[in-house]
Amino acid sequence: EAQVTQNPRYLITVTGKKLTVTCSQNMNHEYMSWYRQDPGLGLRQIYYSMNVEVTDKGDVPEGYKVSRKEKRNFPLILESPSPNQTSLYFCASRASGNTGELFFGEGSRLTVL
Amino acid sequence: SQQGEEDPQALSIQEGENATMNCSYKTSINNLQWYRQNSGRGLVHLILIRSNEREKHSGRLRVTLDTSKKSSSLLITASRAADTASYFCATGPSGGSNYKLTFGKGTLLTVNP
């Protein structure tokens, strides 16, 4: 089954404790992206990757890092989480090209105390 | 920055009625997509309409695009309780790169049995 898998789905952590949210897709997609969703603000893009070893900032990259060492994986790293990073995070992927639907993971709800 | 803006923010209808949601955007686009999100879940792609298309159908969904007004509408006919969800439009910029697909804040549709 074609899917985008995120882990963990739920996480409560404390300020400053480094964490990684993993994202893996099994569709051989070149493009992957991370979004955060907050009430009243919709989805905002954090980082995206056009292919292995190619990443770029989205609209709200501060406080986040990403890496793309393999085509299927695109982890989101919070080096020193802060309470304003409490949010619902989504990973998405799609095939290369100018258009095309995004496939989303089920989301990771992160709470930073 | 938010490109697409959905209207209304919330819509409540009875089962069997039609639901219409609108999306306005500001800059030229390559395509416009509609997504659905059940509460707290990942977004699911519904339909994509290209900038040179005016109308598109998929099952009970009808999407229109008016590039002169920079607006789109999503019509769901004969709504069902299972259609209750948030609906988002997303725009891909013209000029070649669709990497920064930008989402609006969504319309929350409630279909009452």
Side-chain angles (χ1 to χ4, degrees):
Chain A
E1 180 189 354
Q3 58 186 5
V4 178
T5 303
Q6 297 179 225
N7 281 295
R9 294 288 314 281
Y10 302 91
L11 180 63
I12 300 174
T13 189
V14 296
T15 298
K17 186 176 181 181
K18 180 180 178 180
L19 68 93
T20 298
V21 185
T22 64
C23 174
S24 180
Q25 49 93 5
N26 62 1
M27 295 168 279
N28 202 37
H29 285 166
E30 290 80 11
Y31 176 84
M32 299 183 75
S33 180
W34 277 103
Y35 291 85
R36 60 178 289 174
Q37 184 176 31
D38 302 287
L41 297 177
L43 276 87
R44 295 179 292 169
Q45 190 179 46
I46 303 171
Y47 268 96
Y48 63 95
S49 169
M50 290 169 280
N51 214 324
V52 175
E53 302 292 357
V54 182
T55 64
D56 205 352
K57 297 177 181 178
D59 296 315
V60 288
E62 296 78 18
Y64 304 94
K65 286 175 58 176
V66 292
S67 67
R68 188 88 183 275
K69 293 184 171 59
E70 305 166 285
K71 198 172 189 179
R72 63 182 293 126
N73 296 323
F74 190 44
L76 179 69
I77 303 157
L78 286 73
E79 293 271 2
S80 183
S82 62
N84 65 12
Q85 292 178 299
T86 292
S87 187
L88 179 58
Y89 292 87
F90 289 101
C91 180
S93 73
R94 67 167 171 76
S96 65
N98 205 24
T99 60
E101 68 177 279
L102 277 173
F103 291 82
F104 281 82
E106 283 297 300
S108 296
R109 187 169 292 281
L110 171 65
T111 301
V112 183
L113 302 175
Chain B
S1 61
Q2 295 296 324
Q3 163 76 311
E5 292 289 339
E6 292 90 346
D7 170 63
Q9 289 186 326
L11 179 62
S12 181
I13 60 174
Q14 295 300 123
E15 209 165 22
E17 295 180 339
N18 294 342
T20 300
M21 289 159 271
N22 303 297
C23 171
S24 59
Y25 57 93
K26 298 174 183 172
T27 60
S28 296
I29 61 171
N30 179 286
N31 67 74
L32 187 145
Q33 303 178 34
W34 285 92
Y35 288 80
R36 165 194 167 125
Q37 182 184 34
N38 287 77
S39 180
R41 306 289 298 276
L43 280 74
V44 176
H45 182 264
L46 294 176
I47 195 164
L48 178 153
I49 186 165
R50 303 185 194 286
S51 60
N52 61 353
E53 296 175 313
R54 291 296 167 258
E55 188 171 312
K56 205 163 184 179
H57 297 256
S58 176
R60 293 185 295 115
L61 305 180
R62 173 179 169 251
V63 169
T64 62
L65 179 64
D66 187 334
T67 53
S68 66
K69 295 181 179 178
K70 291 187 168 59
S71 69
S72 174
S73 68
L74 171 67
L75 168 68
I76 304 174
T77 59
S79 63
R80 306 165 181 166
D83 293 328
T84 294
S86 290
Y87 292 82
F88 295 85
C89 68
T91 52
S94 64
S97 171
N98 197 31
Y99 299 118
K100 294 194 73 173
L101 194 64
T102 305
F103 288 81
K105 297 178 183 179
T107 292
L108 176 60
L109 172 66
T110 302
V111 182
N112 302 299

